[in-house]
């Protein structure tokens, strides 16, 4: 089991980033990725709060977009405070969610902004959704507390020296491959006027992306899928050499 | 099950007290007891950090000694970062510890000072000890993080019926829908000369079918997928009414 990356999308308070780094160190994690932290980087408040996680703060990587932050990952879990209506991603409890992480996938767990969380668009990049069960009367968790609970469950299942090896399979596609497939398919659908009602384009794109993500395609399958798109849109089939 | 009290023994930082109150509210608890907080009481920093737990901060009770703080309780759990040498109290993991709390006892869970925790004398008041498993390299947990993990486990066992909720989802496609999708896609791929090497057609078809099956598409997703195929193969997009 490789150690999961923790991805914070547009985190606002340095204190929270530091507290996240500390709990990551408590549970043996190290790969912290920040998508455009609001107050810039480095952030002295993050350093103050990090305690034993100071090296994690110092080595945190900053990305200009979520897509870039997850580009090398093969399986991404999104945390969400709410059930996402209109989206066909099932939300799991933390224990169940961690149990479902495929072994030997490069994994990331992403957390949204304080208060507003992740957008539906961001969630389309996720292979699964996790929700921490909380009181209906006070559902808003501090982000570092949410990270604590999820990483605690991760540590319980996979913690130090839990090694397991799986037989080799066609390697799972990483998020770069998947995002490129999204863009290829969507640009062809735009060209073909598939999204006739502009207001519905976004939700339709989300549903298509979710369906593809859920299949957890391998690298080979992504190549096949892109070949299918090229083939279906080819108006002169059989007349030129195959381009990949 | 009565709700457990959370007892902080000589807490130092107001921020931590506020964060404890917030996570208590998240997990439906309300009874916060403080034994001689270092910076006095009330504490504005506790109020700032409390968010949805502000009422818990405002109603927190202050005690001059641990004995008085637990006087009305029937069962007390002490949290400890370490195994206590020379003491015959067995330390349990959080899940095990919560499972052992007798129902219908007035229960409290006590947490020690930042850094130095509880003294051995204080631990003698406890019926059981709980330790959160952490990395050997960085064992020092923030107190509010420790409270988060213990109260999360409490909430899982005893909280509001915290069964993971299912999102509403379009019903799963039946096999007729799926087979019709296979045939639609494969006939278009044949027409477009996708399978250039006839001997490989069968294995390629199998791989494509596997990928689709694995996504467990809903009825709605099958309709979307078929719409995508029609759109991609449409050589005059936008010039006729949509056919379904």
């Amino acid at each position: 089991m490789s150690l999961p990356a923790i991805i914070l999308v547009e985190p606002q308070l340095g204190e929270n980033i530091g507290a996240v780094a500390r709990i990551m160190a408590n549970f043996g994690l190290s790969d912290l990725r920040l998508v455009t932290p609001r107050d810039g980087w480095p952030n002295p408040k993050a350093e103050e709060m990090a305690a034993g996680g100071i090296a994690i703060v110092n080595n945190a990587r900053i990305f200009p977009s979520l897509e870039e932050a997850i580009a090398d990952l093969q399986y991404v879990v999104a945390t969400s405070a709410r059930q996402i209506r209109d989206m066909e991603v099932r939300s799991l409890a933390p224990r169940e969610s961690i149990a479902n992480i495929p072994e030997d996938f490069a994994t990331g767990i992403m957390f949204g902004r304080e208060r507003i969380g992740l957008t539906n668009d961001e969630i389309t990049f996720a292979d699964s959704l996790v929700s921490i069960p909380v009181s209906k009367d006070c559902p808003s968790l501090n982000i570092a507390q949410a990270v604590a609970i999820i990483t605690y469950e991760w540590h319980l299942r996979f913690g130090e020296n839990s090694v397991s090896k799986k037989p080799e399979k066609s390697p799972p596609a990483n998020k770069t491959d998947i995002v490129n497939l999204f863009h290829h398919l969507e640009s062809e659908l735009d060209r073909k006027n598939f999204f006739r009602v502009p207001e519905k384009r976004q939700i339709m794109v989300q549903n298509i992306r979710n369906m593809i993500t859920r299949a957890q395609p391998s690298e080979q399958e992504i190549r096949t899928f892109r070949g299918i798109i090229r083939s279906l849109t080819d108006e002169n089939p059989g007349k030129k050499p195959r381009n990949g």
Side-chain angles (χ1 to χ4, degrees), chain A:
Chain A
M1 183 66 192
S2 62
L3 302 178
I6 300 296
I7 303 135
L8 306 184
V9 179
E10 296 185 3
Q12 296 168 10
L13 298 172
E15 291 89 334
N16 285 337
I17 300 169
V20 165
R22 178 173 179 177
I23 195 74
M24 287 175 65
N26 292 143
F27 290 129
L29 305 185
S30 57
D31 183 354
L32 176 60
R33 306 177 182 198
L34 308 175
V35 179
T36 58
R38 185 190 66 183
D39 297 339
W41 197 257
N43 183 324
K45 292 191 172 163
E47 291 160 21
E48 274 167 37
M49 282 294 283
I54 185 66
I56 294 174
V57 166
N58 291 338
N59 294 324
R61 284 180 286 165
I62 310 297
F63 295 88
S65 72
L66 177 60
E67 292 182 32
E68 286 158 283
I70 63 175
D72 60 321
L73 301 178
Q74 296 164 312
Y75 189 87
V76 172
V77 181
T79 54
S80 169
R82 62 213 146 92
Q83 287 294 332
I84 311 298
R85 286 179 180 278
D86 309 323
M87 289 187 69
E88 304 210 337
V89 186
R90 196 161 86 87
S91 177
L92 303 177
R95 194 157 309 160
E96 206 180 352
S97 169
I98 296 294
N100 280 351
I101 293 178
E103 299 198 24
D104 301 322
F105 275 44
T107 298
I109 307 174
M110 62 185 190
F111 295 82
R113 303 146 190 85
E114 288 94 337
R115 289 208 174 77
I116 60 169
L118 296 165
T119 66
N120 284 3
D121 274 346
E122 287 161 351
I123 287 172
T124 59
F125 292 112
D127 298 275
S128 68
L129 262 184
V130 57
S131 288
I132 297 171
V134 285
S135 165
K136 288 177 215 80
D137 298 329
C138 183
S140 169
L141 280 164
N142 169 271
I143 184 173
Q145 300 287 48
V147 173
I149 288 160
I150 302 293
T151 54
Y152 161 73
E153 287 284 4
W154 184 88
H155 188 75
L156 282 190
R157 179 172 176 216
F158 292 113
E160 288 160 14
N161 37 338
S162 64
V163 185
S164 56
K165 288 286 165 225
K166 272 287 169 73
E168 296 202 8
K169 212 190 121 190
S170 168
N174 64 31
K175 292 298 176 187
T176 304
D177 297 332
I178 290 177
V179 168
N180 288 340
L181 169 62
F182 289 165
H183 291 159
H184 180 188
L185 177 59
E186 289 152 20
S187 69
E188 288 295 345
L189 290 175
D190 280 329
R191 201 166 64 79
K192 295 288 192 173
N193 197 22
F194 176 74
F195 304 108
R196 296 183 188 217
V197 185
E199 311 83 68
K200 288 197 177 172
R201 183 182 187 284
Q202 189 184 17
I203 185 73
M204 292 180 78
V205 163
Q206 285 171 3
N207 286 337
I208 294 167
R209 288 180 172 197
N210 280 336
M211 180 166 47
I212 293 168
T213 300
R214 207 167 57 231
Q216 293 177 8
S218 68
E219 284 178 5
Q220 177 54 53
E221 286 172 333
I222 292 279
R223 284 193 293 272
T224 300
F225 206 146
R226 296 192 64 169
I228 288 173
I229 297 168
R230 278 193 301 272
S231 182
L232 292 179
T233 53
D234 183 356
E235 297 184 8
N236 296 295
K239 293 193 179 142
K240 47 190 175 321
R242 193 163 197 169
N243 58 343

